[in-house]
Amino acid sequence: MISDRLTLFVIVAALGLLILVLEMVRRRALAEKYSLLWLGLAVIILVLAVARPALDRIAPVLGIYYAPSALFVTGFVGLLVILLYFSAVITQLTRRSRTAAQHIGILTERIEQIESKIKRDSDPK
Amino acid sequence: MLFVQIVLLIDIYNSVYLVKSRSDLKILVIIPAYNEQVSISMVVKSVNQSLPEADIIVINDGSKDSTLSVAAGSGAKVISLPYNLGIGAAVQTGFMIAHNGKYDVAVQVDGDGQHDPQEIGVLLDHLLNSDSDVVIGSRYLINLGYVTPIARLLGIRILAKYISILCKKRLTDTTSGFRASNRRAIQVCASSYPSDYPEPESLVTFNKIGINTSEVPVSMNQRYGGKSSITPFWSAYYMIKVILAVTILSLRRAPNLEDKTNDF
């Protein structure tokens, strides 16, 4: 089934990615919701690499006549999707941290005012 | 009967004319400042001098110099952001305070001293006597002696032309941060204010959601201290980036104006 060295290499790499991501999730170094895309990509590549006959049939449909290239195309598209998703996440985080910083600024000034008012009120002249 | 009518007339007169006088308004002057220790004290003092009835708030945008202590020493209320957020977010913080504090008018004045606080009155008068929601001080509406380097002037002209076309109205100074906004505009700016190139971008947003803008001529000083965020060398680059940003913005849906400031 595993006919050539390249396919074997891809299978090992995909398995490695799968294990690495799962381990990172287990150690809480990676949040579940950010691991799903990685896991999905690893599984797809793994399945395509193992099921070589299917790959041989799908690849020509996409105009790819060297079947293993289809694995790399899959990996490339998958990475693009993941990067785009993370750019969107960064955008959202930036917006949220900006709002948080603005609120910190406003609230800090308020606390200082309240504290100095309390000090003034409790000061026995 | 006649008496009642006279009282009524006086009432109408009051509501039409007196309420619109400047002294009845709650005015907040927002001064964003990033590393402006040289000029900030002078700016605060001259705002206070030309508009003693207004509250002044300095937004210290994570300055690395002593802007914070100088501003606090000058008698203004100072909001210090925990790290540098950029001019857009700093100004928006001011609008959040204006919105929460139910101010009638918010005036933006740059912390570098290039705006002449004596001209705030010109902005205010126009804001009260026109249907504008935002009045912008323009250096280029009529020539009052403001000298701009050639490269930058060209960039500013092209940008103004482009944004005028986008907004379908004549605008001459799209990068001016010298503005007065009424309550309606304050509410919009508090909940949604662009952060990358806030001055030109906000004009497009205003146009989109039906906030009326108009320009009045002002003179403006050359920079007092610190460094301009736009050096001549970067003028062209800046202009292209702003044109791109504004183009994308004009294709975008109008912002969702949920109230982010309710929690205070």
Side-chain angles (χ1 to χ4, degrees):
Chain A
M1 199 161 79
I2 297 163
S3 50
D4 55 319
R5 240 189 265 179
L6 179 65
T7 310
L8 184 67
F9 169 70
V10 170
I11 290 172
V12 171
L15 270 178
L17 177 63
L18 200 62
I19 293 168
L20 179 68
V21 173
L22 284 175
E23 182 59 18
M24 284 174 78
V25 174
R26 203 179 64 82
R27 291 186 182 184
R28 298 184 191 283
L30 190 59
E32 284 89 344
K33 70 171 175 178
Y34 297 129
S35 70
L36 292 178
L37 279 174
W38 288 115
L39 291 176
L41 182 61
V43 168
I44 288 171
I45 290 177
L46 198 60
V47 167
L48 286 177
V50 172
R52 189 58 198 268
L55 187 68
D56 284 338
R57 244 174 297 145
I58 296 167
V61 178
L62 299 170
I64 300 166
Y65 295 102
Y66 178 58
S69 293
L71 289 175
F72 295 112
V73 171
T74 310
F76 181 70
V77 171
L79 284 181
L80 277 187
V81 170
I82 291 174
L83 285 179
L84 194 60
Y85 173 64
F86 285 156
S87 298
V89 170
I90 290 171
T91 305
Q92 191 191 37
L93 290 178
T94 307
R95 197 179 300 138
R96 286 184 181 170
S97 73
R98 186 172 62 225
T99 307
Q102 289 172 321
H103 286 209
I104 288 172
I106 295 172
L107 292 175
T108 307
E109 197 272 340
R110 265 205 166 180
I111 291 171
E112 280 165 4
Q113 257 186 10
I114 293 169
E115 277 178 348
S116 67
K117 187 179 186 306
I118 291 172
K119 214 172 176 184
R120 250 182 288 126
D121 289 351
S122 64
D123 227 8
K125 279 268 160 73
Chain B
M1 202 55 199
L2 186 67
F3 175 73
V4 173
Q5 273 182 343
I6 288 173
V7 169
L8 211 67
L9 273 177
I10 291 173
D11 253 18
I12 291 170
Y13 178 84
N14 279 349
S15 65
V16 172
Y17 295 99
L18 293 190
V19 170
K20 281 205 150 189
S21 83
R22 260 160 60 184
S23 52
D24 293 334
L25 294 171
K26 238 183 124 182
I27 302 170
L28 181 69
V29 178
I30 302 165
I31 309 176
Y34 176 59
N35 295 343
E36 305 285 10
Q37 60 177 7
V38 183
S39 55
I40 192 69
S41 159
M42 186 275 295
V43 174
V44 170
K45 276 177 191 143
S46 68
V47 167
N48 197 20
Q49 226 163 51
S50 46
L51 215 64
E53 72 271 28
D55 292 334
I56 303 172
I57 190 142
V58 173
I59 313 291
N60 171 35
D61 188 13
S63 297
K64 292 178 183 69
D65 64 1
S66 54
T67 298
L68 173 59
S69 53
V70 175
S74 69
K77 185 168 152 179
V78 184
I79 299 278
S80 231
L81 298 172
Y83 52 90
N84 184 257
L85 294 180
I87 176 106
V91 169
Q92 186 185 27
T93 310
F95 278 115
M96 288 161 114
I97 290 159
H99 182 60
N100 290 325
K102 304 216 163 20
Y103 282 89
D104 300 303
V105 180
V107 181
Q108 297 158 248
V109 179
D110 279 0
D112 60 12
Q114 69 168 316
H115 304 148
D116 183 355
Q118 289 189 339
E119 290 177 316
I120 294 174
V122 180
L123 300 185
L124 288 178
D125 287 342
H126 192 76
L127 187 70
L128 298 181
N129 299 312
S130 68
D131 63 346
S132 309
D133 299 303
V134 179
V135 175
I136 302 158
S138 168
R139 288 160 284 185
Y140 307 111
L141 202 56
I142 58 172
N143 187 2
L144 288 177
Y146 184 82
V147 186
T148 313
I150 295 285
R152 198 190 298 181
L153 187 62
L154 189 69
I156 283 170
R157 284 266 168 82
I158 294 172
L159 198 61
K161 189 81 203 156
Y162 185 66
I163 294 177
S164 297
I165 292 169
L166 281 183
C167 297
K168 299 184 186 72
K169 74 189 294 178
R170 182 166 174 258
L171 295 162
T172 59
D173 197 353
T174 56
T175 56
S176 166
F178 191 31
R179 300 177 175 186
S181 310
N182 68 9
R183 254 196 206 185
R184 193 160 164 253
I186 289 172
Q187 198 239 321
V188 168
C189 294
S191 70
S192 168
Y193 199 71
S195 58
D196 293 337
Y197 312 102
E199 294 91 4
E201 282 189 67
S202 60
L203 291 172
V204 177
T205 311
F206 289 155
N207 178 56
K208 223 161 220 201
I209 49 191
I211 293 279
N212 274 327
T213 57
S214 60
E215 292 184 331
V216 292
V218 294
S219 59
M220 289 205 198
N221 307 313
Q222 302 297 332
R223 291 183 57 86
Y224 200 79
K227 254 190 344 191
S228 170
S229 50
I230 316 154
T231 59
F233 181 79
W234 291 106
S235 291
Y237 182 56
Y238 172 85
M239 184 197 71
I240 290 166
K241 279 200 299 186
V242 175
I243 284 179
L244 279 177
V246 165
T247 306
I248 291 171
L249 187 65
S250 68
L251 298 172
R252 201 186 275 173
R253 270 177 300 164
N256 172 21
L257 300 177
E258 20 124 27
D259 199 341
K260 290 196 292 189
T261 58
N262 255 349
D263 316 342
F264 294 108

